[in-house]
Amino acid sequence: MDMNLSITNLALLLLLSVCAETQPVIFDIRNYGASPNLDITQAWRNAWKEACASTCATTILIPAGTYKLTQVKFTGPCNAPIEVQVDGIILAPENPNELDGNAQWVKFSYVNFFTLSGSGTFDGQDITSKDSKHFHVNVLGCNNVTFTNFTITAPSTSPNTDGIHIGRSSDINITNSFIGTGDDCISLGGGSRHINVLNVTCGPGHGISVGSLGKFKYEDSVEGFFVRNCTLKNTDNGLRIKTWLGAPGNTTVSFLHYEDIIMINVSNPIIIEQDYCPYNQCSKETPSKIKISNVTFKSIKGTSATPDGVALICSSGVPCEDVELNQIDLTFNGTRTATKYANVIVGKPPGCVA
Ligand SMILES: *[C@@H]1O[C@H](CO)[C@@H](O)[C@H](O)[C@H]1NC(C)=O
Ligand SMILES: *[C@@H]1O[C@H](CO)[C@@H](O)[C@H](O)[C@H]1NC(C)=O
Ligand SMILES: *[C@@H]1O[C@H](CO)[C@@H](O)[C@H](O)[C@H]1NC(C)=O
Ligand SMILES: *[C@@H]1O[C@H](CO)[C@@H](O)[C@H](O)[C@H]1NC(C)=O
Ligand SMILES: *[C@@H]1O[C@H](CO)[C@@H](O)[C@H](O)[C@H]1NC(C)=O
Ligand SMILES: *[C@@H]1O[C@H](CO)[C@@H](O)[C@H](O)[C@H]1NC(C)=O
Ligand SMILES: *[C@@H]1O[C@H](CO)[C@@H](O)[C@H](O)[C@H]1NC(C)=O
Ligand SMILES: *[C@@H]1O[C@H](CO)[C@@H](O)[C@H](O)[C@H]1NC(C)=O
Ligand SMILES: *[C@@H]1O[C@H](CO)[C@@H](O)[C@H](O)[C@H]1NC(C)=O
């Protein structure tokens, strides 16, 4: 919510405090014309509109059943906490041409106090359109959001289908979930702060990523990423931090903590790549100016699909600082994996209590 307390916001706060409901008000999409096997895009949109306007806490319920969804964008801010409980299976169109390739399939933006929960599944089916950007869930400009008991599936061949992408958002928790996609499982863009990931299983896909950062000028910094008790299975990368060569500006990446992670057949289990430059789209002469510091990898175990378990390739311009590796136990075909470093100062971060 905007921090400038205008008269309107003040009035809303007063209304909030007199909301007579002690339980969230349920908005069942069946009351908005939804029924199994049909397209629920309009019903869900209508339910969101009313729930978002409510001054009482609300839950939008998508009950058990299989539904179709073309493309939908849910925008805040809302007047009260809002939860979307998905217990059904939601299918994307089988034909990718039905989707606007420049927009996301499901998008939540500018929503605070938001929870996405339930035992349901977002099923991307066979989204294979070339050069499209179908992040599954895009969390942009949001605070205080929780994803729990959440399942996202898509074939490993679907391009750019990030599971959950977070940008310019703070206090986001992702817990007890399963995400299998063609791209990043969870990815953090600029301005992600205080993001917690607990008990999440990822795979297939590209793993848990910070970045890529530095393709654009003046991205906000990433600060506070806590990933604990997660499993990565058959992913191309495990825990990755990626910045472009020649990345400009004053962006920093700091206070990342990864702990109790199990890797199963992961190609690059731990990887910092500050020399990212696909298709020669950048100036190779200039190093990344994005400073990475205070990063801890603790108790990372399992199997790698390549001989390199750890690769920390930091910027020659601004070396990584206070990076700690602790209890790394990764094997490739039965033997301990190798570790590669460039431009990194490894040490226990002062004040680190782990
Ligand atoms: C999580 O999902 C399972 C079904 O997959 C369901 O039985 C359980 O109640 C859900 N838990 C929560 C906390 O929503
Ligand atoms: C996220 O988890 C942390 C740690 O368990 C907790 O303190 C915080 O309140 C949670 N935030 C949300 C938005 O649920
Ligand atoms: C997040 O939610 C908690 C609990 O509802 C609240 O105390 C806190 O102020 C919220 N933080 C932000 C940044 O909105
Ligand atoms: C961890 O997540 C799985 C679902 O992926 C769930 O079955 C299990 O109960 C969760 N564990 C805890 C302690 O919540
Ligand atoms: C940690 O992960 C394991 C394996 O997925 C799960 O069984 C356990 O419940 C998780 N514990 C917590 C505290 O989430
Ligand atoms: C980064 O640089 C931009 C452009 O000069 C400036 O607007 C912004 O305030 C700077 N951010 C920080 C954290 O210094
Ligand atoms: C391990 O990963 C490699 C490369 O991603 C893949 O070709 C192979 O089938 C995987 N092995 C298993 C046992 O899943
Ligand atoms: C890492 O964090 C500690 C504690 O806040 C701080 O003193 C230190 O300067 C940080 N390291 C870097 C390189 O920023
Ligand atoms: C795996 O190890 C076995 C036995 O040590 C060896 O024969 C085989 O060539 C190895 N495979 C690879 C891909 O390194």
Side-chain angles (χ1 to χ4, degrees):
M1 220 178 276
D2 198 311
M3 293 311 284
N4 294 319
L5 257 194
S6 66
I7 302 294
T8 331
N9 282 343
L10 204 53
L12 289 176
L13 286 177
L14 291 174
L15 278 174
L16 255 179
S17 61
V18 297
C19 171
E21 307 291 337
T22 51
Q23 294 291 318
V25 182
I26 307 290
F27 287 71
D28 187 325
I29 58 157
R30 286 174 297 194
N31 298 332
Y32 294 83
S35 48
N37 303 315
L38 296 181
D39 190 306
I40 59 167
T41 308
Q42 197 54 46
W44 193 353
R45 217 179 255 146
N46 292 344
W48 175 272
K49 204 171 160 199
E50 279 190 31
C52 185
S54 167
T55 51
C56 292
T58 57
T59 299
I60 295 175
L61 176 66
I62 295 170
T66 300
Y67 307 92
K68 293 175 182 156
L69 181 73
T70 40
Q71 202 157 21
V72 71
K73 185 169 123 186
F74 300 112
T75 309
C78 297
N79 290 331
I82 188 163
E83 175 165 351
V84 173
Q85 186 181 331
V86 179
D87 288 332
I89 296 170
I90 297 176
L91 301 178
E94 276 178 58
N95 180 355
N97 295 334
E98 287 178 37
L99 296 175
D100 170 1
N102 294 316
Q104 288 78 27
W105 176 36
V106 182
K107 178 171 176 173
F108 299 97
S109 46
Y110 307 104
V111 196
N112 299 336
F113 303 98
F114 174 66
T115 300
L116 187 54
S117 67
S119 54
T121 302
F122 283 82
D123 187 344
Q125 300 216 58
D126 193 19
I127 298 177
T128 53
S129 62
K130 202 167 166 284
D131 301 328
S132 65
K133 254 194 171 297
H134 296 288
F135 291 126
H136 273 93
V137 180
N138 198 7
V139 183
L140 185 64
C142 303
N143 300 321
N144 259 337
V145 175
T146 302
F147 294 86
T148 184
N149 215 13
F150 186 58
T151 300
I152 305 177
T153 59
S156 60
T157 49
S158 48
N160 287 320
T161 48
D162 284 15
I164 299 176
H165 176 74
I166 297 168
R168 298 199 298 281
S169 295
S170 68
D171 301 284
I172 313 291
N173 289 357
I174 304 170
T175 62
N176 306 342
S177 296
F178 173 85
I179 303 173
T181 71
D183 206 319
D184 291 331
C185 167
I186 294 166
S187 63
L188 264 49
S192 299
R193 293 170 55 242
H194 311 143
I195 314 296
N196 297 298
V197 176
L198 173 66
N199 189 30
V200 170
T201 299
C202 290
H206 295 181
I208 297 176
S209 277
V210 173
S212 62
L213 292 169
K215 187 176 184 186
F216 307 104
K217 274 189 176 177
Y218 310 125
E219 287 164 327
D220 290 335
S221 292
V222 172
E223 191 185 314
F225 187 32
F226 193 53
V227 182
R228 193 158 58 92
N229 200 43
C230 292
T231 301
L232 293 115
K233 194 172 175 181
N234 294 327
T235 52
D236 284 355
N237 298 287
L239 310 170
R240 172 155 74 161
I241 306 166
K242 182 166 77 166
T243 77
W244 284 70
L245 267 180
N250 47 18
T251 310
T252 61
V253 172
S254 59
F255 298 106
L256 314 188
H257 187 91
Y258 304 90
E259 186 169 347
D260 294 330
I261 313 291
I262 296 175
M263 305 281 178
I264 303 170
N265 192 39
V266 172
S267 296
N268 300 290
I270 297 176
I271 180 163
I272 296 180
E273 261 181 288
Q274 293 209 263
D275 54 355
Y276 184 66
C277 182
Y279 318 112
N280 291 319
Q281 285 181 59
C282 54
S283 154
K284 293 211 164 166
E285 285 72 46
T286 335
S288 171
K289 291 198 182 72
I290 296 177
K291 173 89 177 174
I292 297 175
S293 67
N294 274 315
V295 181
T296 309
F297 298 97
K298 187 179 177 191
S299 182
I300 316 288
K301 307 198 157 114
T303 57
S304 172
T306 61
D308 288 326
V310 179
L312 308 177
I313 310 304
C314 292
S315 167
S316 59
V318 281
C320 296
E321 219 171 312
D322 293 332
V323 175
E324 186 191 351
L325 292 166
N326 192 344
Q327 301 165 39
I328 309 298
D329 184 3
L330 295 164
T331 57
F332 166 67
N333 195 23
T335 53
R336 191 172 270 272
T337 56
T339 298
K340 290 196 297 200
Y341 294 100
N343 309 310
V344 58
I345 302 168
V346 179
K348 196 172 175 60
C352 176
V353 290

